[in-house]
Amino acid sequence: MILIHKILITFTLLFSASIPTSAYSKQIIADLSKSNITITSGFHGVDLLLFGAVEGKPGDDILVVISGPPTDIAQRRKANRAGIWINVETNVWQEVPSLYTILTTSPINKIAKPETLFKLGIGAENMKLKLANRPELTKSGLVPKKLIAALKQNMNNLDLWSKDIGGVVVTKNVLFRAEVHLPANILSGAYDVRVLQFRDGIAISEDNTNLLIGKGGLSAKIYNFAHEHSALYGIFAILFAVASGWLAATAFRRA
Amino acid sequence: MHIGIIIGLGGAVGFLSGLFGVGGGFLMTPLLIFFGIPPAVAVATEANQIVASSVSGVLAHMRRANVDFKMGSILLVGGVFGSSIGVMLFAFLREAGQIDLVIKLSYVFFLGMIGFLMLLESLRAIMRTRRPGNHKTKLHQHNWLHGLPLKMRFRRSKLYISALLPLAIGAFVGILAAIMGVGGGFIMVPAMIYLLGMPTSVVVGTSLFQIIFVTANVTFLQSVQTQTVDFVLAGLLLLGAVIGAQFGTRAGVLLRGEQLRGLLALMVLAVSIKMGFDLVIRPEHLFSVELLK
């Protein structure tokens, strides 16, 4: 596999270097070792290699953003009531990325100013976060900072919104690679991968690629069956249990 | 979750259930939640597994004619009714974000109570065997419960009591079974002995018989309403549990009855206390998130 990567990288490099710089050419080109991933039963997450070529200078930085399909998220707050900790408040975030991974060559504050990142729409701080249950707060832009910070913290604990500073490694200012780990709890759907090259705090080049995560194999069939024919699924689950219970009893009666 | 861990969990709980002669739902559901399975999936899937383990248990008791089918049928009518209410309650609480709290409170309260009573009982039994004496106990104690209408004769249990009593017990345990993800044997068995006055020989078989139908009902309703039944997970747990139970049963022969009950009581209390701590100790993160997709 590694050999194939190396050949691919070499080809990409030769290809990009042989074409004279035009308005359409990019200074940065990236690809993934796998662009189609199937979640099957026993899925423990996946390790990918993001690699590419760049026309770089010493001091350049590369920043990668991988964002997953949007989802609604219920956020609950616990408080102490009569000695026990119970959920007292629920807020629903609308259409937030289910995964948001940032990989960089250097600390983010050294790569670009917050305003630059804001314009590029990079970072959890610059997501358009909407509260479904409190539209008035969303409109007035007064969504409590505490809620946003807690959301970031929770998603980070789930490995869904993570940062890997130094995760992108550049070799001789032309090749770069980053090991990407996607956790087991990712959703299926289309993932966007943005790869940006920064020089002196400005994004000078960008490449985009996609990653498709699908549900496959037996687990996908079972999942669809459970959701589309739920009554049949229930009856099947019961019959399955009765049959295996009977089987267990007879097997050990003889033993 | 890794397949090996799932089968291992099944095996460990199966060992304990073989050792103590209990269903093990009250251990498995908290363990699944502890290992990060969402409570809704844990409860519904465990119901599915209990169908299987009760079927295999009841077959053994049927061979020894230890099942009172008439009493079991009355209990299961109540149980199906109660568990249907339980599943609705479950869906409502889940929507309100309070299902974890109610599951934990139920565990703390009911396991705590049962564990405490069992511990007292087995301590007394241990004391008694050390100081042998003459102990006569009445077969039945008559009280107001025997004055209820709709009296029925239960030949196998040698009882003539109101059908309302087993109906009510069945319904109550059914609600608990649906919410806690257990078969409810740990409440049903004492209720049968102390409230109904059934002979101990038929208690376990009859309890298992009705648990099949109550947990089958929960499995069906959860499949339709919440799609939280995972029969693959249930099957893997069962595989481990069946094997573990064989070893547990063999190990159980080495211990005396009252010692076994004492140990079981301590384990029941430990689960209850663990759940209680989770509720009173300040959580590390006051906020939690749930992806709604």
Side-chain angles (χ1 to χ4, degrees):
Chain A
M1 280 299 281
I2 292 167
L3 185 71
I4 299 173
H5 292 157
K6 280 190 179 155
I7 294 170
L8 267 176
I9 293 167
T10 321
F11 267 107
T12 334
L13 203 65
L14 285 173
F15 187 65
S16 57
S18 61
I19 298 175
T21 316
S22 74
Y24 296 100
S25 83
K26 281 177 177 166
Q27 286 195 40
I28 190 162
I29 294 177
D31 203 356
L32 289 161
S33 55
K34 275 185 261 178
S35 57
N36 252 308
I37 288 156
T38 312
I39 302 177
T40 54
S41 45
F43 179 72
H44 301 134
V46 64
D47 290 302
L48 294 170
L49 183 72
L50 181 113
F51 60 93
V54 63
E55 280 177 32
K57 277 187 184 168
D60 282 4
D61 275 305
I62 292 173
L63 184 149
V64 178
V65 182
I66 305 173
S67 63
T71 180
D72 290 356
I73 292 176
Q75 182 184 37
R76 302 205 163 90
R77 183 172 68 84
K78 280 194 167 69
N80 199 320
R81 294 281 182 275
I84 54 174
W85 292 90
I86 61 173
N87 288 326
V88 291
E89 184 186 338
T90 305
N91 288 299
V92 178
W93 297 98
Q94 227 170 0
E95 302 274 300
V96 294
S98 54
L99 179 113
Y100 201 80
T101 303
I102 296 181
L103 302 105
T104 63
T105 42
S106 326
I108 294 175
N109 57 6
K110 285 190 184 151
I111 294 177
K113 284 184 182 148
E115 306 87 77
T116 316
L117 295 174
F118 172 76
K119 273 183 208 151
L120 291 164
I122 289 169
E125 307 71 36
N126 299 319
M127 281 179 196
K128 292 183 185 77
L129 291 169
K130 287 177 288 187
L131 278 178
N133 56 322
R134 289 155 90 179
E136 75 288 350
L137 284 183
T138 310
K139 245 183 212 167
S140 55
L142 288 173
V143 176
K145 287 213 169 71
K146 212 174 79 179
L147 288 183
I148 299 176
L151 177 69
K152 281 159 71 176
Q153 178 70 54
N154 283 139
M155 292 302 277
N156 185 265
N157 292 345
L158 292 170
D159 278 340
L160 290 173
W161 290 7
S162 57
K163 278 181 196 159
D164 185 357
I165 307 301
V168 183
V169 181
V170 184
T171 317
K172 293 182 179 164
N173 302 318
V174 281
L175 292 179
F176 65 89
R177 53 182 282 152
E179 278 164 26
V180 181
H181 176 75
L182 301 178
N185 49 354
I186 50 170
L187 299 183
S188 58
Y191 285 64
D192 286 324
V193 182
R194 292 175 71 185
V195 184
L196 297 104
Q197 179 188 13
F198 283 88
R199 185 172 295 163
D200 305 324
I202 299 162
I204 55 167
S205 177
E206 174 171 352
D207 192 20
N208 296 287
T209 177
N210 284 312
L211 174 62
L212 256 162
I213 312 259
K215 286 204 169 181
L218 187 63
S219 66
K221 290 204 180 88
I222 294 171
Y223 181 89
N224 290 337
F225 180 49
H227 282 80
E228 283 159 26
H229 310 280
S230 53
L232 263 179
Y233 177 88
I235 292 167
F236 176 78
I238 294 168
L239 291 179
F240 169 81
V242 171
S244 41
W246 177 80
L247 197 73
T250 34
F252 283 102
R253 192 189 176 185
R254 281 175 197 152
Chain B
M1 212 165 137
H2 196 276
I3 283 182
I5 297 177
I6 296 172
I7 298 178
L9 272 184
V13 174
F15 178 83
L16 294 172
S17 62
L19 184 65
F20 298 121
V22 293
F26 74 92
L27 286 172
M28 188 61 93
T29 306
L31 270 177
L32 288 177
I33 297 173
F34 181 72
F35 271 86
I37 304 271
V41 178
V43 165
T45 301
E46 188 48 22
N48 191 17
Q49 194 218 322
I50 295 171
V51 174
S53 55
S54 309
V55 165
S56 100
V58 91
L59 287 171
H61 284 277
M62 270 166 65
R63 284 196 287 270
R64 287 177 234 138
N66 280 347
V67 182
D68 182 340
F69 286 103
K70 192 172 178 187
M71 179 64 86
S73 307
I74 303 282
L75 284 168
L76 82 84
V77 170
V80 167
F81 176 72
S83 56
S84 303
I85 292 178
V87 172
M88 280 192 269
L89 211 58
F90 191 99
F92 169 75
L93 289 168
R94 192 179 171 215
E95 194 86 353
Q98 301 298 357
I99 190 64
D100 298 27
L101 173 73
V102 175
I103 290 175
K104 281 181 181 152
L105 278 179
S106 314
Y107 269 88
V108 171
F109 182 72
F110 289 103
L111 287 187
M113 189 175 72
I114 295 288
F116 183 69
L117 291 176
M118 276 169 54
L119 192 65
L120 277 186
E121 196 270 339
S122 64
L123 283 179
R124 241 181 259 147
I126 290 170
M127 303 290 265
R128 220 181 290 148
T129 49
R130 286 189 185 156
R131 264 179 287 144
N134 208 1
H135 289 276
K136 264 190 185 170
T137 45
K138 257 201 241 172
L139 189 60
H140 303 306
Q141 278 171 343
H142 281 262
N143 52 32
W144 64 272
L145 292 171
H146 292 81
L148 289 169
L150 278 172
K151 283 210 165 191
M152 278 176 104
R153 194 167 294 285
F154 299 95
R155 289 228 160 72
R156 190 68 196 77
S157 302
K158 302 187 189 83
L159 282 176
Y160 182 59
I161 54 163
S162 165
L164 291 177
L165 202 53
L167 270 179
I169 292 174
F172 177 70
V173 178
I175 295 177
L176 288 186
I179 288 179
M180 295 170 69
V182 293
F186 67 94
I187 304 254
M188 184 58 91
V189 167
M192 286 165 132
I193 296 173
Y194 299 112
L195 292 179
L196 299 179
M198 283 170 70
T200 41
S201 59
V202 295
V203 159
V204 175
T206 309
S207 159
L208 283 174
F209 169 74
Q210 72 91 35
I211 283 173
I212 296 174
F213 295 89
V214 171
T215 49
N217 185 45
V218 173
T219 304
F220 181 75
L221 293 177
Q222 292 282 23
S223 297
V224 173
Q225 282 197 356
T226 55
Q227 286 99 38
T228 45
V229 176
D230 185 338
F231 85 90
V232 178
L233 177 60
L236 291 173
L237 289 172
L238 182 74
L239 181 68
V242 164
I243 299 165
Q246 297 304 315
F247 289 101
T249 314
R250 266 162 231 180
V253 182
L254 305 173
L255 287 166
R256 287 232 301 274
E258 58 268 24
Q259 291 172 332
L260 271 179
R261 283 203 297 279
L263 278 178
L264 176 60
L266 288 177
M267 203 168 64
V268 166
L269 278 177
V271 175
S272 157
I273 290 168
K274 159 84 176 78
M275 288 279 195
F277 265 121
D278 288 353
L279 287 174
V280 295
I281 283 180
R282 186 190 161 91
E284 194 187 344
H285 303 286
L286 290 183
F287 284 91
S288 62
V289 290
E290 182 194 354
L291 271 59
L292 301 175
K293 204 188 257 158

